[in-house]
Amino acid sequence: MTLDPLKRQLVWDRLLAIVEEQAQVLMRTAFSTVVREAGDLSAGVFDPRGRMLAQAVTGTPGHVNAMAASVAKFLAAVPTLEPGDVLMTNDPWDGTGHLNDFTLVSPVFYQDQLVALFASTSHIADVGGRGFGPDANELFEEGIRIPISHLYRAGVRDETLLRLLLANVRDPVVAEGDLFSLVACNDAGSRALIEAMTAFGLGDLSTIAAHILARSEAAMGAAIAELPNGTARSTLTIDGYDKPLQLGCELSIEDDRIRVDLIDVPPPSPFGINVPLPYTEAYASFGVRCLVGGDVPNNAGSLARVEVNAPAGSLLAAEPPRAVSARHAVGQMLPDLVFNALAQLLPGRIPAEGASCIWNPVFRGRDFVINPIFNGGTGARPRPADAGGGKDGLATTAFPSGVRTTSTEVNEATAPLLFLERQLALESGGNGALRGGDGQRIVVMHRRQEAFWVSRMFDRVHHPAAGRDGGAAGAAGIVLIEVDGEQRMLSPKGLDEVPAGARLVLQTPGGGGYQSPD
Protein backbone atom coordinates (compact mmCIF):
# COMPACT_ATOMS: atom_id res chain seq x y z
CA MET A 1 0.00 0.00 0.00
CA THR A 2 1.42 3.38 -1.04
CA LEU A 3 1.04 6.24 1.45
CA ASP A 4 1.11 9.89 0.51
CA PRO A 5 3.65 12.06 2.38
CA LEU A 6 1.05 13.60 4.69
CA LYS A 7 -0.31 10.22 5.79
CA ARG A 8 3.22 8.89 6.27
CA GLN A 9 3.98 11.79 8.60
CA LEU A 10 0.76 11.28 10.52
CA VAL A 11 1.49 7.57 10.95
CA TRP A 12 5.03 8.36 12.13
CA ASP A 13 3.75 10.90 14.65
CA ARG A 14 1.24 8.35 15.92
CA LEU A 15 3.99 5.74 16.34
CA LEU A 16 6.00 8.18 18.45
CA ALA A 17 2.95 8.91 20.59
CA ILE A 18 2.25 5.19 21.00
CA VAL A 19 5.74 4.26 22.22
CA GLU A 20 5.78 7.21 24.61
CA GLU A 21 2.42 6.09 25.99
CA GLN A 22 3.91 2.60 26.32
CA ALA A 23 6.77 4.01 28.44
CA GLN A 24 4.43 6.12 30.57
CA VAL A 25 2.25 3.11 31.32
CA LEU A 26 5.37 1.28 32.44
CA MET A 27 6.39 4.11 34.76
CA ARG A 28 2.89 4.52 36.23
CA THR A 29 2.47 0.83 37.00
CA ALA A 30 6.02 -0.16 38.02
CA PHE A 31 6.67 -1.23 41.58
CA SER A 32 10.42 -0.47 41.64
CA THR A 33 11.28 3.10 42.59
CA VAL A 34 14.16 3.23 40.12
CA VAL A 35 11.66 2.67 37.29
CA ARG A 36 8.69 4.62 38.62
CA GLU A 37 10.65 7.69 39.75
CA ALA A 38 13.92 7.63 37.81
CA GLY A 39 12.86 6.19 34.44
CA ASP A 40 15.34 3.31 34.28
CA LEU A 41 13.55 1.66 31.36
CA SER A 42 13.08 1.47 27.61
CA ALA A 43 10.14 0.96 25.29
CA GLY A 44 9.85 0.61 21.54
CA VAL A 45 8.03 -0.82 18.53
CA PHE A 46 9.63 -3.22 16.06
CA ASP A 47 8.73 -4.64 12.68
CA PRO A 48 8.15 -8.43 12.30
CA ARG A 49 11.84 -8.87 11.45
CA GLY A 50 12.86 -7.45 14.82
CA ARG A 51 14.06 -4.05 13.57
CA MET A 52 13.36 -1.12 15.89
CA LEU A 53 11.17 1.48 14.20
CA ALA A 54 10.64 3.95 17.04
CA GLN A 55 11.63 4.32 20.68
CA ALA A 56 10.12 6.23 23.56
CA VAL A 57 11.86 9.44 24.60
CA THR A 58 11.51 8.31 28.20
CA GLY A 59 14.22 5.81 29.07
CA THR A 60 17.96 5.22 29.02
CA PRO A 61 20.18 4.59 25.97
CA GLY A 62 21.78 1.59 27.61
CA HIS A 63 18.39 -0.09 27.59
CA VAL A 64 17.13 1.35 24.31
CA ASN A 65 20.10 0.64 22.08
CA ALA A 66 20.77 -2.78 23.62
CA MET A 67 17.08 -3.65 23.30
CA ALA A 68 17.26 -2.59 19.65
CA ALA A 69 19.63 -5.51 19.07
CA SER A 70 17.82 -7.98 21.32
CA VAL A 71 14.44 -8.45 19.63
CA ALA A 72 15.97 -10.30 16.69
CA LYS A 73 17.45 -12.74 19.23
CA PHE A 74 13.96 -13.34 20.63
CA LEU A 75 12.70 -14.15 17.13
CA ALA A 76 15.62 -16.49 16.49
CA ALA A 77 14.87 -18.34 19.73
CA VAL A 78 11.09 -18.46 19.16
CA PRO A 79 10.46 -18.09 15.41
CA THR A 80 6.75 -18.94 15.60
CA LEU A 81 4.56 -16.64 17.68
CA GLU A 82 0.84 -16.70 18.47
CA PRO A 83 -1.60 -14.07 19.65
CA GLY A 84 -1.32 -13.72 23.42
CA ASP A 85 2.35 -14.74 23.59
CA VAL A 86 4.73 -12.77 25.78
CA LEU A 87 8.43 -13.61 25.76
CA MET A 88 10.83 -12.72 28.56
CA THR A 89 14.52 -12.81 29.40
CA ASN A 90 17.03 -11.20 31.72
CA ASP A 91 20.00 -12.89 30.07
CA PRO A 92 22.70 -10.18 29.92
CA TRP A 93 23.77 -11.20 26.41
CA ASP A 94 20.26 -11.45 24.97
CA GLY A 95 18.90 -8.43 26.83
CA THR A 96 20.51 -5.26 28.11
CA GLY A 97 23.64 -6.32 29.91
CA HIS A 98 22.90 -7.55 33.44
CA LEU A 99 20.46 -9.78 35.32
CA ASN A 100 18.50 -6.95 36.94
CA ASP A 101 17.11 -5.82 33.57
CA PHE A 102 14.13 -7.79 32.30
CA THR A 103 13.13 -7.46 28.65
CA LEU A 104 9.67 -8.52 27.49
CA VAL A 105 8.57 -8.87 23.86
CA SER A 106 4.91 -9.05 22.80
CA PRO A 107 3.75 -9.74 19.22
CA VAL A 108 0.93 -7.73 17.66
CA PHE A 109 -1.50 -9.54 15.39
CA TYR A 110 -3.93 -7.68 13.12
CA GLN A 111 -6.30 -9.45 10.76
CA ASP A 112 -4.60 -12.75 11.66
CA GLN A 113 -1.18 -11.44 10.63
CA LEU A 114 1.90 -10.59 12.70
CA VAL A 115 2.36 -6.88 12.03
CA ALA A 116 4.70 -5.69 14.78
CA LEU A 117 6.31 -6.39 18.14
CA PHE A 118 6.48 -4.24 21.24
CA ALA A 119 9.45 -4.58 23.55
CA SER A 120 10.16 -3.02 26.92
CA THR A 121 12.84 -3.26 29.57
CA SER A 122 12.94 -2.22 33.20
CA HIS A 123 15.32 -2.64 36.10
CA ILE A 124 14.00 -5.02 38.77
CA ALA A 125 15.54 -4.18 42.12
CA ASP A 126 16.51 -7.68 43.23
CA VAL A 127 17.19 -10.89 41.31
CA GLY A 128 18.67 -12.89 44.20
CA GLY A 129 22.32 -13.87 44.43
CA ARG A 130 24.66 -11.47 46.21
CA GLY A 131 22.46 -8.52 45.36
CA PHE A 132 23.03 -5.66 42.92
CA GLY A 133 26.70 -4.73 43.16
CA PRO A 134 30.20 -5.22 41.76
CA ASP A 135 31.55 -7.90 44.10
CA ALA A 136 30.60 -11.18 42.45
CA ASN A 137 33.24 -13.24 40.67
CA GLU A 138 30.96 -14.96 38.18
CA LEU A 139 27.45 -14.62 36.82
CA PHE A 140 26.10 -17.51 38.90
CA GLU A 141 26.64 -15.47 42.07
CA GLU A 142 24.67 -12.49 40.74
CA GLY A 143 21.18 -13.97 40.70
CA ILE A 144 18.72 -15.99 38.68
CA ARG A 145 19.16 -16.08 34.91
CA ILE A 146 16.09 -16.62 32.73
CA PRO A 147 16.77 -17.58 29.10
CA ILE A 148 14.34 -16.38 26.42
CA SER A 149 11.11 -18.04 27.53
CA HIS A 150 7.34 -17.74 27.31
CA LEU A 151 5.92 -15.82 30.24
CA TYR A 152 2.56 -16.12 28.48
CA ARG A 153 1.76 -18.68 25.80
CA ALA A 154 -1.39 -17.89 23.81
CA GLY A 155 -2.64 -15.80 26.71
CA VAL A 156 -1.93 -18.40 29.42
CA ARG A 157 0.66 -17.46 32.02
CA ASP A 158 3.46 -19.93 32.77
CA GLU A 159 2.90 -20.32 36.50
CA THR A 160 5.90 -22.64 36.92
CA LEU A 161 8.29 -20.07 35.45
CA LEU A 162 6.79 -17.33 37.60
CA ARG A 163 7.02 -19.39 40.80
CA LEU A 164 10.62 -20.29 40.01
CA LEU A 165 11.54 -16.66 39.54
CA LEU A 166 9.73 -15.37 42.63
CA ALA A 167 11.24 -18.09 44.80
CA ASN A 168 14.72 -16.78 44.01
CA VAL A 169 14.37 -13.06 44.80
CA ARG A 170 14.27 -11.18 48.09
CA ASP A 171 11.19 -9.12 47.30
CA PRO A 172 8.82 -11.25 45.20
CA VAL A 173 5.95 -8.74 45.42
CA VAL A 174 8.00 -6.03 43.71
CA ALA A 175 9.44 -8.44 41.14
CA GLU A 176 5.99 -9.76 40.21
CA GLY A 177 4.55 -6.25 40.02
CA ASP A 178 7.36 -5.07 37.78
CA LEU A 179 6.92 -8.01 35.41
CA PHE A 180 3.23 -7.31 35.07
CA SER A 181 3.96 -3.62 34.46
CA LEU A 182 6.09 -4.68 31.49
CA VAL A 183 3.28 -6.89 30.22
CA ALA A 184 0.81 -4.02 30.66
CA CYS A 185 2.89 -1.45 28.81
CA ASN A 186 3.40 -3.75 25.81
CA ASP A 187 -0.32 -4.49 25.81
CA ALA A 188 -1.11 -0.75 25.87
CA GLY A 189 1.17 -0.23 22.89
CA SER A 190 -0.41 -3.13 21.01
CA ARG A 191 -3.94 -1.85 21.50
CA ALA A 192 -2.97 1.68 20.49
CA LEU A 193 -1.21 0.41 17.36
CA ILE A 194 -4.23 -1.60 16.24
CA GLU A 195 -6.44 1.45 16.75
CA ALA A 196 -4.05 3.52 14.64
CA MET A 197 -3.86 0.94 11.86
CA THR A 198 -7.64 0.78 11.75
CA ALA A 199 -7.92 4.57 11.66
CA PHE A 200 -5.40 4.90 8.83
CA GLY A 201 -6.67 1.90 6.89
CA LEU A 202 -3.40 -0.02 7.10
CA GLY A 203 -3.36 -3.77 6.62
CA ASP A 204 0.24 -4.02 7.82
CA LEU A 205 3.25 -1.83 8.55
CA SER A 206 5.59 -3.12 5.87
CA THR A 207 5.46 -0.03 3.65
CA ILE A 208 5.76 2.52 6.43
CA ALA A 209 8.45 0.45 8.19
CA ALA A 210 10.56 0.30 5.04
CA HIS A 211 10.13 4.05 4.57
CA ILE A 212 11.04 4.90 8.19
CA LEU A 213 14.17 2.78 8.19
CA ALA A 214 15.36 3.86 4.74
CA ARG A 215 14.83 7.56 5.46
CA SER A 216 16.49 7.30 8.88
CA GLU A 217 19.53 5.50 7.50
CA ALA A 218 19.86 7.93 4.59
CA ALA A 219 19.52 10.95 6.90
CA MET A 220 22.16 9.60 9.28
CA GLY A 221 24.45 8.87 6.34
CA ALA A 222 23.98 12.42 5.06
CA ALA A 223 24.80 13.87 8.49
CA ILE A 224 28.02 11.85 8.64
CA ALA A 225 28.92 12.83 5.06
CA GLU A 226 29.01 16.48 6.14
CA LEU A 227 31.93 15.67 8.46
CA PRO A 228 35.56 15.45 7.36
CA ASN A 229 36.88 11.96 6.81
CA GLY A 230 39.57 10.92 9.23
CA THR A 231 40.71 8.64 12.02
CA ALA A 232 41.55 9.53 15.61
CA ARG A 233 42.62 7.61 18.68
CA SER A 234 41.76 8.40 22.29
CA THR A 235 42.19 6.92 25.74
CA LEU A 236 40.31 7.22 29.00
CA THR A 237 41.50 6.12 32.45
CA ILE A 238 38.79 5.10 34.91
CA ASP A 239 38.82 3.91 38.50
CA GLY A 240 38.08 0.23 37.85
CA TYR A 241 37.35 -2.00 40.84
CA ASP A 242 40.68 -2.57 42.59
CA LYS A 243 42.99 -0.81 40.13
CA PRO A 244 42.74 1.82 37.38
CA LEU A 245 41.74 0.71 33.91
CA GLN A 246 42.62 2.37 30.62
CA LEU A 247 40.22 2.14 27.69
CA GLY A 248 41.26 2.87 24.11
CA CYS A 249 39.30 3.89 21.04
CA GLU A 250 40.00 4.33 17.33
CA LEU A 251 37.20 6.23 15.62
CA SER A 252 37.00 6.56 11.85
CA ILE A 253 34.71 8.75 9.78
CA GLU A 254 34.44 7.09 6.39
CA ASP A 255 32.20 9.00 3.95
CA ASP A 256 28.71 8.22 5.27
CA ARG A 257 29.63 5.83 8.09
CA ILE A 258 31.39 5.94 11.45
CA ARG A 259 33.33 3.03 12.86
CA VAL A 260 34.30 2.81 16.52
CA ASP A 261 36.98 0.22 17.28
CA LEU A 262 37.62 -0.22 20.99
CA ILE A 263 41.31 -1.04 21.18
CA ASP A 264 43.87 -1.87 23.86
CA VAL A 265 40.94 -2.97 26.00
CA PRO A 266 41.84 -4.60 29.34
CA PRO A 267 41.17 -8.29 29.87
CA PRO A 268 38.02 -9.23 31.74
CA SER A 269 37.84 -8.37 35.41
CA PRO A 270 37.45 -10.95 38.19
CA PHE A 271 34.73 -8.63 39.55
CA GLY A 272 31.29 -7.64 38.31
CA ILE A 273 32.30 -4.66 36.15
CA ASN A 274 32.58 -6.61 32.89
CA VAL A 275 30.46 -5.34 29.99
CA PRO A 276 28.59 -7.60 27.53
CA LEU A 277 29.03 -6.46 23.94
CA PRO A 278 25.38 -5.31 23.44
CA TYR A 279 25.79 -2.78 26.27
CA THR A 280 29.16 -1.65 24.91
CA GLU A 281 27.60 -1.15 21.48
CA ALA A 282 24.69 0.74 23.04
CA TYR A 283 26.77 3.39 24.81
CA ALA A 284 29.54 3.71 22.24
CA SER A 285 26.99 4.30 19.48
CA PHE A 286 25.10 6.70 21.76
CA GLY A 287 28.30 8.74 22.10
CA VAL A 288 28.28 9.18 18.34
CA ARG A 289 24.54 9.82 18.12
CA CYS A 290 24.77 12.61 20.74
CA LEU A 291 26.91 14.66 18.37
CA VAL A 292 26.06 13.45 14.89
CA GLY A 293 22.58 13.43 13.38
CA GLY A 294 20.85 14.57 16.55
CA ASP A 295 17.62 15.29 14.66
CA VAL A 296 17.53 11.84 13.03
CA PRO A 297 15.27 9.27 14.73
CA ASN A 298 17.12 6.64 16.75
CA ASN A 299 16.14 3.32 15.22
CA ALA A 300 17.58 0.36 13.34
CA GLY A 301 18.11 2.54 10.26
CA SER A 302 20.19 5.28 11.85
CA LEU A 303 22.08 2.86 14.11
CA ALA A 304 23.13 0.88 11.03
CA ARG A 305 25.48 3.74 10.08
CA VAL A 306 27.50 3.39 13.29
CA GLU A 307 29.65 0.28 13.72
CA VAL A 308 31.12 -0.66 17.10
CA ASN A 309 33.73 -3.36 17.62
CA ALA A 310 35.48 -4.68 20.73
CA PRO A 311 37.92 -7.57 21.21
CA ALA A 312 36.04 -10.78 21.94
CA GLY A 313 36.32 -11.87 25.55
CA SER A 314 37.72 -8.54 26.74
CA LEU A 315 36.37 -6.28 29.47
CA LEU A 316 34.10 -4.61 26.87
CA ALA A 317 32.96 -7.81 25.17
CA ALA A 318 32.74 -10.08 28.18
CA GLU A 319 31.49 -13.60 27.67
CA PRO A 320 29.46 -15.87 29.98
CA PRO A 321 29.83 -16.60 32.83
CA ARG A 322 31.70 -13.37 33.62
CA ALA A 323 30.15 -11.25 36.38
CA VAL A 324 28.43 -8.20 34.86
CA SER A 325 26.11 -6.77 37.52
CA ALA A 326 27.86 -3.37 37.58
CA ARG A 327 28.47 -3.21 33.83
CA HIS A 328 27.17 0.36 33.78
CA ALA A 329 30.11 1.56 35.89
CA VAL A 330 32.34 0.98 32.85
CA GLY A 331 29.84 1.09 29.98
CA GLN A 332 28.55 4.56 30.83
CA MET A 333 32.10 5.94 30.51
CA LEU A 334 32.24 5.05 26.80
CA PRO A 335 30.60 8.24 25.47
CA ASP A 336 33.49 10.24 27.01
CA LEU A 337 35.97 7.93 25.28
CA VAL A 338 34.15 8.49 21.96
CA PHE A 339 33.98 12.25 22.62
CA ASN A 340 37.74 12.37 23.15
CA ALA A 341 38.29 10.87 19.70
CA LEU A 342 35.69 13.08 17.99
CA ALA A 343 37.27 16.16 19.58
CA GLN A 344 40.34 15.59 17.40
CA LEU A 345 38.27 15.42 14.23
CA LEU A 346 35.71 18.09 15.14
CA PRO A 347 37.64 20.65 17.22
CA GLY A 348 35.68 23.23 19.17
CA ARG A 349 32.46 21.22 19.03
CA ILE A 350 32.82 18.45 21.62
CA PRO A 351 31.87 18.68 25.33
CA ALA A 352 34.42 18.12 28.05
CA GLU A 353 34.28 14.91 30.08
CA GLY A 354 31.56 14.64 32.72
CA ALA A 355 30.78 12.57 35.78
CA SER A 356 29.24 10.10 33.32
CA CYS A 357 28.62 6.99 35.44
CA ILE A 358 25.51 7.36 37.60
CA TRP A 359 25.97 7.03 41.35
CA ASN A 360 23.41 4.41 42.27
CA PRO A 361 24.21 2.99 45.71
CA VAL A 362 22.21 0.09 47.03
CA PHE A 363 21.24 0.75 50.66
CA ARG A 364 20.04 -2.25 52.58
CA GLY A 365 19.29 -3.12 56.19
CA ARG A 366 17.50 -5.83 58.10
CA ASP A 367 14.10 -4.76 56.70
CA PHE A 368 14.72 -2.73 53.53
CA VAL A 369 16.55 -2.52 50.21
CA ILE A 370 16.52 0.64 48.07
CA ASN A 371 18.49 1.73 45.02
CA PRO A 372 18.42 5.56 44.85
CA ILE A 373 19.99 7.44 41.97
CA PHE A 374 22.35 10.42 42.23
CA ASN A 375 24.10 12.22 39.40
CA GLY A 376 27.18 14.37 38.95
CA GLY A 377 27.88 17.30 36.63
CA THR A 378 28.24 17.21 32.86
CA GLY A 379 31.15 18.65 30.93
CA ALA A 380 31.15 22.19 29.53
CA ARG A 381 29.47 22.39 26.12
CA PRO A 382 31.28 24.35 23.40
CA ARG A 383 29.45 25.34 20.22
CA PRO A 384 30.40 27.60 17.32
CA ALA A 385 29.21 31.20 17.58
CA ASP A 386 26.87 30.73 14.63
CA ALA A 387 25.17 27.95 16.60
CA GLY A 388 24.52 30.18 19.60
CA GLY A 389 27.84 29.77 21.36
CA GLY A 390 28.74 27.39 24.15
CA LYS A 391 27.25 26.78 27.58
CA ASP A 392 28.46 25.67 30.98
CA GLY A 393 27.96 22.06 31.94
CA LEU A 394 24.76 21.02 33.68
CA ALA A 395 24.74 20.38 37.43
CA THR A 396 23.67 16.97 38.77
CA THR A 397 22.34 15.80 35.42
CA ALA A 398 21.81 12.26 34.21
CA PHE A 399 24.17 12.02 31.26
CA PRO A 400 24.66 9.75 29.48
CA SER A 401 22.30 7.40 31.29
CA GLY A 402 19.16 9.53 31.32
CA VAL A 403 18.27 7.91 34.67
CA ARG A 404 16.95 10.73 36.80
CA THR A 405 17.85 11.42 40.41
CA THR A 406 15.30 10.02 42.88
CA SER A 407 13.80 12.49 45.30
CA THR A 408 14.68 12.63 48.98
CA GLU A 409 10.99 12.32 49.88
CA VAL A 410 10.66 9.04 47.99
CA ASN A 411 13.93 7.68 49.39
CA GLU A 412 12.86 8.44 52.98
CA ALA A 413 9.38 7.05 52.40
CA THR A 414 10.70 3.71 51.16
CA ALA A 415 13.46 3.12 53.73
CA PRO A 416 14.19 4.01 57.38
CA LEU A 417 16.93 6.40 56.29
CA LEU A 418 17.31 10.09 57.06
CA PHE A 419 18.92 12.35 54.46
CA LEU A 420 20.61 15.03 56.56
CA GLU A 421 22.02 16.94 53.59
CA ARG A 422 21.25 17.13 49.91
CA GLN A 423 22.84 20.13 48.24
CA LEU A 424 24.94 21.23 45.29
CA ALA A 425 28.67 20.76 45.71
CA LEU A 426 29.40 24.31 44.61
CA GLU A 427 32.52 24.92 42.52
CA SER A 428 32.97 21.18 41.91
CA GLY A 429 32.66 21.78 38.18
CA GLY A 430 35.98 22.41 36.41
CA ASN A 431 36.98 26.02 35.78
CA GLY A 432 37.28 27.41 32.27
CA ALA A 433 35.89 29.85 29.75
CA LEU A 434 32.92 27.50 30.08
CA ARG A 435 32.59 25.77 33.46
CA GLY A 436 31.78 22.15 34.11
CA GLY A 437 28.55 21.28 35.90
CA ASP A 438 28.55 20.82 39.66
CA GLY A 439 28.01 17.57 41.52
CA GLN A 440 25.99 17.18 44.71
CA ARG A 441 26.67 16.31 48.35
CA ILE A 442 24.47 13.78 50.17
CA VAL A 443 24.69 12.82 53.85
CA VAL A 444 22.57 9.92 55.06
CA MET A 445 22.14 7.90 58.26
CA HIS A 446 19.77 5.29 59.66
CA ARG A 447 16.71 6.84 61.26
CA ARG A 448 16.72 4.27 64.08
CA GLN A 449 20.47 4.57 64.68
CA GLU A 450 21.01 1.07 63.29
CA ALA A 451 23.76 -0.18 61.03
CA PHE A 452 23.06 -0.57 57.32
CA TRP A 453 25.00 -1.63 54.25
CA VAL A 454 25.98 0.31 51.14
CA SER A 455 26.96 -1.29 47.85
CA ARG A 456 28.84 1.12 45.60
CA MET A 457 29.30 1.14 41.81
CA PHE A 458 30.86 4.60 41.38
CA ASP A 459 33.61 6.10 39.25
CA ARG A 460 35.51 9.40 38.97
CA VAL A 461 36.70 9.09 42.59
CA HIS A 462 40.36 8.61 41.62
CA HIS A 463 40.19 9.87 38.02
CA PRO A 464 38.04 13.00 37.75
CA ALA A 465 36.47 14.30 34.54
CA ALA A 466 39.10 16.01 32.39
CA GLY A 467 38.63 19.46 30.95
CA ARG A 468 38.95 20.10 27.24
CA ASP A 469 41.23 22.48 25.35
CA GLY A 470 42.75 23.97 28.49
CA GLY A 471 39.74 23.74 30.79
CA ALA A 472 40.26 22.41 34.32
CA ALA A 473 39.20 18.98 35.50
CA GLY A 474 36.08 18.62 37.60
CA ALA A 475 36.32 17.71 41.26
CA ALA A 476 36.64 14.02 42.06
CA GLY A 477 33.85 12.17 43.78
CA ILE A 478 34.02 11.44 47.51
CA VAL A 479 32.75 8.47 49.51
CA LEU A 480 33.34 8.34 53.25
CA ILE A 481 31.88 7.32 56.61
CA GLU A 482 31.80 9.74 59.54
CA VAL A 483 31.70 8.01 62.92
CA ASP A 484 32.65 9.33 66.35
CA GLY A 485 34.12 12.49 64.85
CA GLU A 486 36.44 10.60 62.50
CA GLN A 487 36.26 10.05 58.75
CA ARG A 488 37.01 6.82 56.91
CA MET A 489 37.35 6.98 53.15
CA LEU A 490 35.72 4.23 51.11
CA SER A 491 36.69 2.90 47.71
CA PRO A 492 34.38 3.75 44.79
CA LYS A 493 33.25 0.16 44.39
CA GLY A 494 32.39 -2.54 46.90
CA LEU A 495 30.15 -3.39 49.85
CA ASP A 496 30.65 -1.91 53.32
CA GLU A 497 28.74 -1.60 56.57
CA VAL A 498 27.78 1.86 57.81
CA PRO A 499 27.95 1.41 61.60
CA ALA A 500 25.07 2.32 63.88
CA GLY A 501 24.95 6.08 64.42
CA ALA A 502 27.42 6.77 61.58
CA ARG A 503 26.86 9.06 58.63
CA LEU A 504 27.55 8.14 55.03
CA VAL A 505 28.78 11.04 52.90
CA LEU A 506 28.60 10.94 49.10
CA GLN A 507 29.77 13.72 46.80
CA THR A 508 29.22 13.12 43.12
CA PRO A 509 31.90 14.29 40.66
CA GLY A 510 31.89 17.56 38.78
CA GLY A 511 32.20 17.96 35.01
CA GLY A 512 35.26 19.24 33.20
CA GLY A 513 35.65 22.84 32.01
CA TYR A 514 36.35 24.12 28.49
CA GLN A 515 39.31 26.33 27.57
CA SER A 516 41.25 28.58 29.92
CA PRO A 517 39.18 31.27 31.67
CA ASP A 518 41.81 33.90 30.74
Side-chain angles (χ1 to χ4, degrees):
M1 178 181 179
T2 301
L3 298 177
D4 63 69
L6 176 59
K7 182 173 281 191
R8 281 201 304 257
Q9 185 63 47
L10 291 172
V11 172
W12 170 245
D13 290 343
R14 182 69 71 86
L15 283 177
L16 293 179
I18 288 170
V19 292
E20 187 58 31
E21 178 185 356
Q22 178 193 5
Q24 292 300 321
V25 169
L26 177 53
M27 289 185 69
R28 293 186 186 117
T29 58
F31 279 43
S32 288
T33 302
V34 72
V35 180
R36 187 177 66 249
E37 304 294 333
D40 194 7
L41 59 92
S42 64
V45 62
F46 295 70
D47 74 357
R49 293 169 55 184
R51 299 178 298 178
M52 187 170 72
L53 302 178
Q55 61 148 101
V57 173
T58 301
T60 171
H63 284 172
V64 169
N65 289 352
M67 186 180 73
S70 73
V71 175
K73 299 175 184 177
F74 279 80
L75 294 176
V78 186
T80 302
L81 295 168
E82 301 179 19
D85 284 355
V86 178
L87 304 179
M88 174 182 77
T89 192
N90 71 332
D91 187 297
W93 289 267
D94 288 336
T96 62
H98 68 180
L99 295 174
N100 290 82
D101 290 345
F102 280 71
T103 300
L104 268 64
V105 174
S106 305
V108 183
F109 286 83
Y110 182 61
Q111 297 176 349
D112 299 324
Q113 179 183 357
L114 176 65
V115 294
L117 302 112
F118 279 90
S120 56
T121 300
S122 70
H123 180 102
I124 292 180
D126 181 76
V127 292
R130 299 179 68 154
F132 185 27
D135 299 303
N137 300 122
E138 59 180 355
L139 186 72
F140 303 110
E141 299 176 39
E142 295 185 322
I144 188 168
R145 180 185 184 186
I146 306 294
I148 295 173
S149 307
H150 279 86
L151 179 59
Y152 285 80
R153 190 186 297 270
V156 179
R157 191 169 66 206
D158 188 325
E159 299 294 345
T160 300
L161 176 61
L162 190 61
R163 288 199 306 273
L164 177 65
L165 171 62
L166 299 183
N168 281 276
V169 301
R170 294 176 178 85
D171 195 339
V173 172
V174 168
E176 184 175 24
D178 282 339
L179 284 179
F180 291 157
S181 74
L182 288 163
V183 174
C185 83
N186 284 0
D187 184 61
S190 300
R191 286 185 279 106
L193 179 63
I194 290 172
E195 290 174 4
M197 292 179 66
T198 302
F200 286 109
L202 300 176
D204 58 47
L205 295 179
S206 57
T207 300
I208 189 66
H211 174 79
I212 289 169
L213 296 178
R215 284 293 298 271
S216 299
E217 184 170 359
M220 185 63 184
I224 297 172
E226 294 178 358
L227 308 177
N229 279 355
T231 297
R233 289 193 173 198
S234 67
T235 60
L236 180 69
T237 301
I238 63 176
D239 293 350
Y241 183 98
D242 56 340
K243 60 184 178 182
L245 299 173
Q246 186 175 80
L247 310 177
C249 167
E250 181 177 272
L251 184 145
S252 299
I253 301 175
E254 302 169 342
D255 299 327
D256 58 358
R257 296 181 180 275
I258 291 179
R259 190 181 75 249
V260 179
D261 293 315
L262 298 162
I263 58 175
D264 301 325
V265 178
S269 170
F271 303 102
I273 60 171
N274 299 289
V275 190
L277 184 59
Y279 198 79
T280 291
E281 293 172 331
Y283 269 106
S285 62
F286 179 68
V288 172
R289 292 303 323 274
C290 286
L291 300 168
V292 182
D295 56 350
V296 179
N298 189 59
N299 56 31
S302 56
L303 288 171
R305 295 285 177 159
V306 182
E307 177 186 347
V308 177
N309 302 299
S314 67
L315 180 78
L316 295 177
E319 298 173 347
R322 290 291 181 184
V324 294
S325 182
R327 88 294 191 231
H328 64 283
V330 174
Q332 290 178 8
M333 309 302 288
L334 293 177
D336 276 341
L337 179 64
V338 170
F339 284 6
N340 290 345
L342 282 171
Q344 301 170 48
L345 302 174
L346 306 172
R349 297 170 56 179
I350 309 302
E353 294 178 7
S356 299
C357 170
I358 59 173
W359 280 40
N360 57 334
V362 178
F363 297 139
R364 73 172 190 246
R366 60 180 176 83
D367 56 356
F368 73 94
V369 177
I370 64 167
N371 183 199
I373 304 294
F374 307 112
N375 290 291
T378 72
R381 300 166 289 165
R383 290 193 302 174
D386 59 5
K391 296 182 178 181
D392 293 341
L394 297 167
T396 63
T397 296
F399 179 83
S401 75
V403 181
R404 299 187 298 272
T405 295
T406 47
S407 71
T408 297
E409 293 80 5
V410 168
N411 293 332
E412 290 186 338
T414 53
L417 298 177
L418 183 63
F419 285 73
L420 303 172
E421 293 183 37
R422 179 82 176 278
Q423 60 182 312
L424 286 176
L426 297 176
E427 306 300 322
S428 60
N431 197 16
L434 300 170
R435 290 191 57 85
D438 289 332
Q440 60 183 307
R441 173 182 164 89
I442 305 103
V443 180
V444 60
M445 67 181 298
H446 200 293
R447 188 182 299 275
R448 299 190 298 259
Q449 301 289 307
E450 297 178 7
F452 65 98
W453 291 83
V454 56
S455 178
R456 305 173 309 286
M457 297 162 276
F458 309 151
D459 211 278
R460 300 289 196 202
V461 171
H462 302 306
H463 298 85
R468 194 168 310 285
D469 295 347
I478 298 172
V479 191
L480 60 86
I481 292 173
E482 293 181 344
V483 57
D484 296 331
E486 297 184 355
Q487 294 184 343
R488 175 166 62 92
M489 305 298 295
L490 298 182
S491 62
K493 297 179 181 70
L495 178 67
D496 277 276
E497 183 184 48
V498 180
R503 299 181 177 192
L504 176 70
V505 179
L506 308 177
Q507 182 170 310
T508 62
Y514 177 72
Q515 291 187 338
S516 170
D518 301 328

